[in-house]
Each structure stands twice: as C-alpha cells, then as structure tokens.
Amino acid sequence: CKEAGGNQFQFYHPEMETEMMERMKLETALFKALEYEEMDLHYQPQFNMKTKELIGIEALIRWDHPSYGRLSPDLFISLAEETGLIIPIGEWVLRKACRQMQEWMASGMKPVTIAVNISPRHFSHASFIENIQVILAEEKIDPGQVELELTENLLMHNNDKNAEKMEVLRDMGLDLAIDDFGTGYSSLRYLKDFPVSLLKIDRSFIDSMNKDAKSAAITKSIITMAQNLELKVMAEGIETEEQMEALLEQDCFYGQGYLFSKPMPAEELFNTYGPVEAK
Ligand code: C2E
Ligand code: CA
Ligand code: CA
Ligand code: CA
C-alpha cells in the first residue's frame, strides 16, 4: 500500500480494513476509558539499595477494558500520543498520583518522591506548565516531592522550547529524570544543557549486565558518567540479587525492580510500605 500513489481505494485491502477497524475500536475505547473509570494507577517503590530505605514511588497507568481485559501501557500510550488523548490522560495521571501521595501522607506515610511518566507530546503541549501548576496547587503537594520521568527522545525535538520548559519546572522545584537512559537518540552532550537530576538506566542493560560484557560496560559507563556530572542514577528492572550486588559495587544505590516489588495497587502499597512498616 506504499505504492497506493494517491488512489485512496487501494487502501482498502481486507486485512488492512481489519487492522484499521481494530485500531478505530481501540481508539474509541480509549476515548471513553477515563469517563468510564477504566483507568487506574499502580505504584512501584524505588529504594536506596544500600540502606533499604524507600525513597520514591513510580506511578504506572493501568487500563482494564471490560471486554479486551488489561491492555499494556506500551500499546495504548503510543495510541494516546498519536490521537492527542495523552493530554487528558496525562493530566489525570498527574493529578491522581499527587492526590494519592497526599492521601498516603495524611495516613502517616513518610513523604517520598512521587515519580510520574510524562509523554513527549504532553510535555510539548502549550499549557503543560500551567496545568502542572494548577494540579500541584489544587492537590497541595510540595513540588519538590514530584519527579517527572521524561524519555531521552524528548531532548531531541524542539530543543530550545523543551530546555526552557525544563528550566521553568526546575525553578518550580520539580525534579526531572531521564527514563530508559541509553536507548534513545540523545547525544550525551545534551545532558549538560538540560536541568535533569536523575538518570534511570534502562532495564535492557540491567537485564543483560551479568550475561554480557558489553552491557556491563555500558551500565558501568552510565553510572560513572552520572557520578561525574553529579546526577543521581537509578537502575530499573532489577530482578536478581546478583544485579543488585553488581550495582552496589559500582556505587549505584538507587534501584527499582521485581526483586524488591512489582507495581501494585495503592492500598497494597500502603499496607506494605505505610506507617506500620511491615518490612
Ligand atoms: P517505564 O516507565 O520504563 O516503566 C517501567 C516498566 O517496567 C513498567 O511496565 C514496570 O511494570 C516494568 N518493570 C518494573 N520492574 C521490572 C522488573 O524488574 N522486570 C521487568 N521485566 N519489568 C519491570 P509497565 O507498567 O507495563 O509500563 C510500560 C511503559 O508504559 C512504561 O515504561 C512507560 O513508558 C509507559 N507508561 C506507564 N504508565 C505511564 C503513564 O502514566 N504515562 C505515560 N506517559 N507512560 C506510561
Ligand atoms: Ca518510568
Ligand atoms: Ca525532590
Ligand atoms: Ca524506564
């Protein structure tokens, strides 16, 4: 269909039609998902692996569709990006995560960072900063407690504007993290131009660091670089003791992964990490 050459009718292959229909169905469902309250957030704790202390909590969106079942965010976040639905969804996530953190603290949990994933299209939206300001004010949360996880690729596009926005956010007191670090297109040079405070080493490197020398070397280099730049560094997707030990040996203290905890519903997180200290 690349050769369709302007003839629109060539688009309608039967298999294409099914694919398009599926997409449209999913798009319609996504459009309704917030209104129908099918979305929820799960929360994954982040630790200082040396002291075993809880240092932060990452909010991760979940969508349970009544007939499709649970859909992976990797699937629907990109659709939400393409359709622009990421704006209302992203705002909902931000508000819900801040509100949840406030509720936990009101119930006696110690204040830790709440980390929220922000899509490039949401970040680039003209009223992003304004929206954040409104949400932080309405939810009465200290901006210093909120961390935005951005992907490397954001740094590529619309450079000046994004850099400017990042400065504004930093001045507001928010922390900025680069998610999936090492997988994007960003040149390391960008690191000095953007006010980020944390690098999250992508899971793929952690997954293979004890199996292949190249991944180990990359992981090591990222940690060293972060240290030299005085950035915090966190490993994600830690699943084994060996991975944790190797990271600690290199003075990478912050970690997140199934070894410690899977993402879980708010109530479960509170029961595990709230004031009762079940650990
Ligand atoms: P991410 O931000 O890199 O989040 C980490 C993903 O790895 C999560 O998948 C998490 O459940 C999973 N994970 C955590 N620890 C481990 C581990 O030890 N092993 C393995 N194999 N996986 C682990 P999830 O929740 O399916 O989210 C996938 C991606 O979808 C996220 O990757 C993020 O890019 C995106 N996403 C999730 N929630 C949101 C959201 O609220 N807004 C936006 N814009 N994107 C989101
Ligand atoms: Ca993330
Ligand atoms: Ca902070
Ligand atoms: Ca990640």
Side-chain angles (χ1 to χ4, degrees):
C1 89
K2 263 189 201 138
E3 278 110 36
N7 183 349
Q8 290 296 306
F9 290 104
Q10 289 194 22
F11 252 101
Y12 290 94
H13 296 300
E15 66 276 17
M16 278 289 290
E17 192 165 338
T18 348
E19 209 174 285
M20 272 171 60
M21 290 291 285
E22 284 308 316
R23 210 193 119 94
M24 280 169 64
K25 271 198 248 166
L26 198 61
E27 215 177 294
T28 312
L30 189 61
F31 188 71
K32 291 285 181 190
L34 279 181
E35 186 189 336
Y36 292 169
E37 301 185 344
E38 294 163 3
M39 301 271 188
D40 197 8
L41 294 184
H42 278 195
Y43 300 89
Q44 188 178 31
Q46 303 173 326
F47 294 96
N48 179 327
M49 299 185 286
K50 198 177 178 184
T51 62
K52 308 285 175 204
E53 194 186 2
L54 177 75
I55 54 156
I57 296 168
E58 179 177 0
L60 293 156
I61 197 167
R62 294 293 175 259
W63 178 19
D64 291 302
H65 187 270
S67 49
Y68 303 146
R70 176 159 294 175
L71 294 149
S72 161
D74 281 323
L75 178 84
F76 69 82
I77 289 291
S78 55
L79 184 63
E81 276 252 326
E82 287 163 35
T83 55
L85 286 168
I86 195 64
I87 312 296
I89 291 173
E91 284 174 17
W92 177 86
V93 170
L94 203 52
R95 186 180 290 278
K96 176 121 180 151
C98 292
R99 184 170 297 175
Q100 186 59 65
M101 194 67 235
Q102 278 300 42
E103 273 179 37
W104 281 329
M105 288 191 295
S107 310
M109 188 160 114
K110 72 162 187 174
V112 294
T113 298
I114 180 81
V116 181
N117 294 285
I118 305 290
S119 285
R121 180 155 178 191
H122 188 199
F123 190 90
S124 305
H125 193 260
S127 51
F128 180 71
I129 302 274
E130 209 183 301
N131 282 322
I132 291 229
Q133 280 168 329
V134 170
I135 290 170
L136 296 182
E138 286 179 359
E139 302 306 325
K140 300 186 179 63
I141 190 157
D142 170 12
Q145 215 180 325
V146 180
E147 189 167 83
L148 306 181
E149 295 195 358
L150 312 168
T151 50
E152 255 178 304
N153 295 343
L154 174 77
L155 311 186
M156 283 286 291
H157 306 294
N158 197 359
N159 243 308
D160 289 350
K161 267 240 169 70
N162 285 337
E164 233 170 79
K165 276 192 186 178
M166 289 168 86
E167 297 287 351
V168 172
L169 291 163
R170 204 248 331 250
D171 291 345
M172 283 165 61
L174 286 95
D175 284 318
L176 303 176
I178 302 188
D179 208 352
D180 307 336
F181 190 80
T183 60
Y185 301 111
S186 99
S187 116
L188 299 183
R189 184 171 60 85
Y190 287 131
L191 279 182
K192 78 175 171 49
D193 299 331
F194 295 99
V196 299
S197 52
L198 171 74
L199 300 186
K200 291 187 81 177
I201 308 173
D202 190 64
R203 190 171 83 214
S204 58
F205 299 118
I206 307 304
D207 188 46
S208 48
M209 67 183 284
N210 289 338
K211 299 177 213 151
D212 97 74
K214 272 188 188 164
S215 295
I218 292 171
T219 305
K220 194 172 182 150
S221 308
I222 295 174
I223 295 168
T224 307
M225 184 184 62
Q227 288 161 348
N228 289 339
L229 291 168
E230 294 179 4
L231 300 173
K232 288 186 283 181
V233 59
M234 180 181 290
E236 64 177 2
I238 301 169
E239 295 183 353
T240 68
E241 292 281 345
E242 291 71 30
Q243 290 163 349
M244 182 183 74
E245 292 305 331
L247 289 160
L248 281 172
E249 230 157 75
Q250 297 169 42
D251 287 348
C252 173
F253 299 125
Y254 300 138
Q256 181 180 357
Y258 294 169
L259 176 64
F260 313 111
S261 170
K262 292 204 170 187
M264 53 178 120
E267 199 186 78
E268 193 182 335
L269 186 131
F270 185 79
N271 291 337
T272 317
Y273 302 100
V276 201
E277 281 293 293
K279 280 203 82 180

